[in-house]
Amino acid sequence: MLHDLTALEQGDAVRNGDVSPLELVEHYAARADEVGAFITTTHDLAREHARTLTEAGRPTDAGPLWGVPTGIKDLHPTAGVRTTFGSAAYDDFVPEESDGLVLTVEAAGMPSLGKTSTPEFGSPCYTEPDVAPPAVTPWDISRTAGGSSGGAAAAVAAGLLPVAPGSDGGGSIRIPASCCGLVGLKPSRGRISGAPRYGDPVGLATPGTLARTVRDAAALLDVLAGRRVGDPFWAPPPTAPFLDACDREPGRLRVARFIAPVIADVDVHPSSVTAWENASRLLEQLGHDVEDVPVPIPPEAVADFETCWAVLTALSPAPPGREDRLRPLTRWLSARGHAVSGPEFGLAIGSLRQHAGRALAALAAYDVVLTPTLARPPALVGELRDDADPARDFANQKAFTPWTSAWNVTGMPAISLPLHWTDDGLPVGVMLAARPAEEELLLSLAAQVESAVPWVDRRPPGRWA
């Protein structure tokens, strides 16, 4: 089946004339969404785009994913397409303009089959919006796909999309990657432009990629990466396409590792410990030096991060008269954000940057850092959410994801790899992070690790065939 092929294999099939972009769109449009992947589908627009690509023919400078379908996370405004931001307060909002990521994907010749599901304003680490069914992992549909790029991850894992962009302000790509058995790459701060909205003055959030393989994730990063005029910060260009890095040996690397949670005092599930220990042994077998290090970010950084997170939530208000449609968690976080003064916000940003600087200095001697991705396997739908007690909801999320936000603070690229499965078949990710702007080294190592792991079919069993 076409959806059994990797995204790059599908791109090769288009290039060789074995399948057309329109045939790929029709194949995916016919597949049923049983995992809450999409808030809005755009099959007719995708068909129109694919017909245009088919009629025009493949450009000489087309990338390897030209003609391969994808989807757009519902946090990205898309001209003429309902964009809810995962919120009932925006359930009928239709933007007049698309943001830079949407335009980039369209220009790369990748038809979008719809808006992938996200929680309200992308804040929670689970995807249970009021405007759509919950996004679930196809490995066990009673369990969350994670968040906030849960719809994108569910779509790729269930074979509804070959590859998909996500976004990540505190783990929102790597969390669903772990829950869904995928590769999830958060690039360095500034690697992908946030134009034209530039909605995150703290610099925590960035778009990134979700895929079944490291090579697919790298190929989509090649599509998305780049600087636009007006960007407040940017990463230097790579020496070659990121896809090429997957074919290079990384050399012998120094790997720092720690497992103590960063943002919550929580017991780590045995499956996460096993995944981390197995990854450590594998890295040593591959010739790398693995060393235990102290947690590089101090506990006091958590309060600064929470201050910034609350203010960022407050910067996403409901349209006038629709405030009552916001979820309790959003209202609680927004109230916290509105209670922060301007100087307090500025001090919190400054403190976060100081914490980041010290962490980067502490890790400077190491090429990569290894931690678990999550503290436990995918949670049951509704298990983390607590509308009656938003503070407890927030605490539940921190306990589920005690490492991921550290690399948003430092701006380092980080990748979650599906290297372990529980005895009952749930995916468990491990996370590698590299120095800022060193995605090439990170992808080289990730590809080496992926190739060394005994192959596990990345498709959930049975119904997703």
Side-chain angles (χ1 to χ4, degrees), residues 168-171 174 186-190 202-206 233 235 258 262-263 295-298 301 305 349 351-364 369 403-415 431-439 442:
D168 190 317
R174 293 155 289 154
K186 179 199 83 70
S188 300
R189 181 177 295 137
V202 184
L204 296 173
T206 177
F233 33 69
F258 64 90
V262 179
I263 67 168
V295 176
I297 293 181
F305 181 89
I349 294 174
S351 293
L352 270 190
R353 290 180 178 163
Q354 291 171 1
H355 295 311
R358 295 186 189 107
L360 290 168
L363 297 170
V369 188
W403 298 281
T404 53
S405 60
W407 311 138
N408 297 87
V409 171
T410 62
M412 296 160 62
I415 192 166
M431 184 166 57
L432 290 165
R435 300 184 189 96
E438 292 194 3
E439 285 92 340
L442 183 63

Side-chain angles (χ1 to χ4, degrees), residues 305-398:
F305 181 89
E306 289 186 13
T307 295
C308 292
W309 195 257
V311 172
L312 292 175
T313 304
L315 294 178
S316 300
R322 289 196 163 200
E323 292 82 2
D324 61 330
R325 300 194 182 192
L326 296 176
R327 289 194 49 228
L329 176 67
T330 304
R331 294 199 296 269
W332 177 78
L333 279 170
S334 293
R336 287 185 63 182
H338 283 295
V340 177
S341 70
E344 288 171 337
F345 183 41
L347 287 171
I349 294 174
S351 293
L352 270 190
R353 290 180 178 163
Q354 291 171 1
H355 295 311
R358 295 186 189 107
L360 290 168
L363 297 170
Y366 299 94
D367 299 293
V368 293
V369 188
L370 171 69
T371 69
T373 304
L374 299 176
R376 49 173 289 198
L380 293 168
V381 171
E383 185 179 357
L384 302 177
R385 178 174 177 170
D386 192 336
D387 289 352
D389 187 351
R392 182 170 182 81
D393 183 318
F394 195 65
N396 290 342
Q397 294 182 62
K398 289 165 60 180

Side-chain angles (χ1 to χ4, degrees), residues 76-335:
H76 294 280
T78 307
V81 175
R82 184 175 74 130
T83 300
T84 72
F85 310 109
S87 174
Y90 286 89
D91 61 355
D92 59 356
F93 176 62
V94 180
E96 296 181 359
E97 296 180 346
S98 296
D99 75 2
L101 181 139
V102 175
L103 297 175
T104 295
V105 169
E106 291 175 352
M110 300 183 71
S112 171
L113 287 160
K115 305 304 291 292
T116 57
S117 190
T118 185
E120 190 161 73
F121 304 144
S123 178
C125 70
Y126 53 82
T127 302
E128 300 174 21
D130 291 343
V131 290
V136 296
T137 174
W139 297 92
D140 178 349
I141 60 172
S142 70
R143 295 179 181 272
T144 182
S148 65
S149 305
V156 175
L160 308 182
L161 293 175
V163 69
S167 57
D168 190 317
S172 288
I173 288 170
R174 293 155 289 154
I175 296 163
S178 185
C179 289
C180 293
L182 299 175
V183 175
L185 173 64
K186 179 199 83 70
S188 300
R189 181 177 295 137
R191 174 64 67 197
I192 300 172
S193 174
R197 298 170 69 204
Y198 303 122
D200 176 7
V202 184
L204 296 173
T206 177
T209 66
L210 285 149
R212 285 171 54 201
T213 70
V214 173
R215 289 175 57 82
D216 281 357
L220 185 57
L221 180 60
D222 279 322
V223 169
L224 301 178
R227 173 186 174 187
R228 291 179 182 266
V229 175
D231 286 357
F233 33 69
W234 56 88
T239 60
F242 291 110
L243 181 57
D244 290 358
C246 298
D247 298 322
R248 295 200 295 264
E249 289 294 323
R252 184 169 182 169
L253 304 179
R254 290 189 70 190
V255 180
R257 74 168 196 163
F258 64 90
I259 198 170
V262 179
I263 67 168
D265 184 10
V266 60
D267 292 332
V268 181
H269 191 275
S271 64
S272 296
V273 177
T274 298
W276 178 75
E277 292 283 14
N278 288 348
S280 300
R281 282 191 290 271
L282 176 59
L283 289 166
E284 289 176 334
Q285 291 166 7
L286 291 169
H288 306 298
D289 299 315
V290 180
E291 303 174 33
D292 291 301
V293 299
V295 176
I297 293 181
E300 53 266 29
V302 176
D304 295 318
F305 181 89
E306 289 186 13
T307 295
C308 292
W309 195 257
V311 172
L312 292 175
T313 304
L315 294 178
S316 300
R322 289 196 163 200
E323 292 82 2
D324 61 330
R325 300 194 182 192
L326 296 176
R327 289 194 49 228
L329 176 67
T330 304
R331 294 199 296 269
W332 177 78
L333 279 170
S334 293

Side-chain angles (χ1 to χ4, degrees), residues 12-13 39 46 73 103 142 164 168 176 190 216 310 365 422 449:
D12 287 341
I39 288 181
K73 187 175 177 180
L103 297 175
S142 70
D168 190 317
D216 281 357
T422 65
V449 168

Side-chain angles (χ1 to χ4, degrees), residues 417-462:
L417 299 174
L419 300 186
H420 185 70
W421 272 258
T422 65
D423 291 340
D424 52 352
L426 294 175
V428 178
V430 298
M431 184 166 57
L432 290 165
R435 300 184 189 96
E438 292 194 3
E439 285 92 340
E440 290 176 88
L441 181 142
L442 183 63
L443 287 164
S444 176
L445 177 61
Q448 182 191 53
V449 168
E450 182 181 64
S451 66
V453 174
W455 178 253
V456 176
D457 193 342
R458 302 292 166 78
R459 298 168 303 171

